[in-house]
Each structure stands twice: as structure tokens, then as C-alpha cells.
Amino acid sequence: MHKQRSKNYKPLQNAIHTLKRQHQKERAQLDTAQNERRVDEERQRQSRLPRGIIKNILSRITGKYQRIQKQNAEETKQCAKRDNIERQKLIEKQLDTRQKLQERVHYVREDHNSISLQLRKDIGAYLEMKEKKTDVKFEFTAKPQSCDLNRVL
């Protein structure tokens, strides 16, 4: 019975490990892409600020420097918000995928538990008959089953 459970669970265990690595890779790729984009956007925002002493002084006097700083700060907030939304969407997608796999794992475990319970009942009935020393023929009710993982999908 343990071998049957192992046989049914092994593909799921492999799928869990594969999915875990895939999700980690997806999150790492997203982090890398977001960091690269953040650096590029920060460079663009910095390039808006005036360079040179005279331009810098004039832009501060006219208020242009403060407007650019305010615009840059607002864009930084918006970009951070966008990145957080992207990450949350990825997390939700991954959780959904993991939940579907977990349902299959739950099905295999429930199937194993029901077979184990039935075997324990059969053993108990057999021992009870043995104690009573009856000559009644006993038929085991638990039958080896193969688990159909596609049933859950």
C-alpha cells in the first residue's frame, strides 16, 4: 500500500519541485526586469534636471527645478505602484497554479487515507472473527486502486 501511494505521489512531488523552481525563476526575472527599468527611468528623470551652474541657478530662481523635482517624485511613486501591481499579479497567478496542484495532492492523500482506513477496518474484522473462531469465509473489501490524477483536473 505504501508503494502504491509512493507511486501515485511521486509525479506530484516532482511537479511540486518543478513548479517551485519555475515560480522562483519567474519572480527573479520580474525583479531583474523591474530593477533595470527602474534604473533606466531614474536616469531619464535625472536627465531632466538642468546641468551646469548657471542653468541650475536660473532654474531654481524660476521654480523650474522644483517643478521637475515634484514631477520626478510623482513619477517615482507611480512607477513603484505599477511595479507592485505587476508583482502582485504574478503572485496571484502563481498561487492559483499552486492551488490547482495542491488539489491533486489532496486527492491522492484522501484516496490513500480512505484505503488505509478500509484496510484497518478489514484487519479489525478479521481479528474479531479469529477471536470468535468462526469458520465464516471473510472477503477483504479494500482493493488496490490506481489513483486517477486527471479526475481532479
Side-chain angles (χ1 to χ4, degrees):
M1 186 172 89
H2 180 68
K3 289 181 183 180
Q4 182 67 29
R5 179 176 183 243
S6 295
K7 179 183 163 190
N8 291 338
Y9 190 68
K10 188 68 174 173
L12 290 175
Q13 198 172 27
N14 292 338
I16 290 169
H17 291 300
T18 301
L19 189 64
K20 180 181 175 183
R21 285 190 300 272
Q22 178 186 349
H23 285 179
Q24 287 172 341
K25 184 179 176 183
E26 287 174 357
R27 288 191 304 270
Q29 287 173 340
L30 179 66
D31 287 343
T32 301
Q34 286 181 344
N35 285 335
E36 289 174 1
R37 184 173 57 200
R38 183 183 49 79
V39 168
D40 289 342
E41 290 170 348
E42 190 62 36
R43 281 190 194 128
Q44 288 175 347
R45 286 190 284 274
Q46 288 297 322
S47 69
R48 291 183 196 146
L49 293 172
R51 299 194 203 305
I53 296 173
I54 295 175
K55 287 184 180 181
N56 196 337
I57 292 172
L58 286 174
S59 65
R60 287 179 189 264
I61 292 172
T62 61
K64 182 179 177 183
Y65 189 86
Q66 289 79 10
R67 284 191 302 273
I68 293 172
Q69 276 190 320
K70 186 177 179 181
Q71 179 187 359
N72 286 351
E74 185 60 35
E75 284 181 15
T76 301
K77 287 179 188 176
Q78 292 299 322
C79 291
K81 185 177 179 181
R82 176 201 61 212
D83 289 348
N84 287 338
I85 290 170
E86 282 180 2
R87 184 160 182 83
Q88 187 61 35
K89 284 182 181 178
L90 177 65
I91 289 169
E92 289 171 2
K93 183 187 99 179
Q94 289 179 346
L95 284 173
D96 185 51
T97 305
R98 178 68 170 106
Q99 182 64 33
K100 289 176 184 172
L101 182 58
Q102 191 60 40
E103 287 172 4
R104 293 171 59 197
V105 169
H106 180 73
Y107 170 73
V108 168
R109 286 182 180 159
E110 285 296 315
D111 188 52
H112 172 75
N113 290 342
S114 66
I115 291 171
S116 295
L117 178 63
Q118 190 59 49
L119 282 174
R120 283 192 294 273
K121 286 179 181 178
D122 289 347
I123 290 169
Y126 176 75
L127 291 175
E128 187 177 309
M129 285 177 21
K130 185 178 177 183
E131 287 175 5
K132 292 180 181 180
K133 296 188 183 205
T134 59
D135 291 330
V136 176
K137 187 176 179 182
F138 180 74
E139 183 177 319
F140 285 101
T141 57
K143 294 180 177 62
Q145 299 175 353
S146 65
C147 187
D148 182 15
L149 297 178
N150 295 326
R151 225 171 62 182
V152 176
L153 300 175

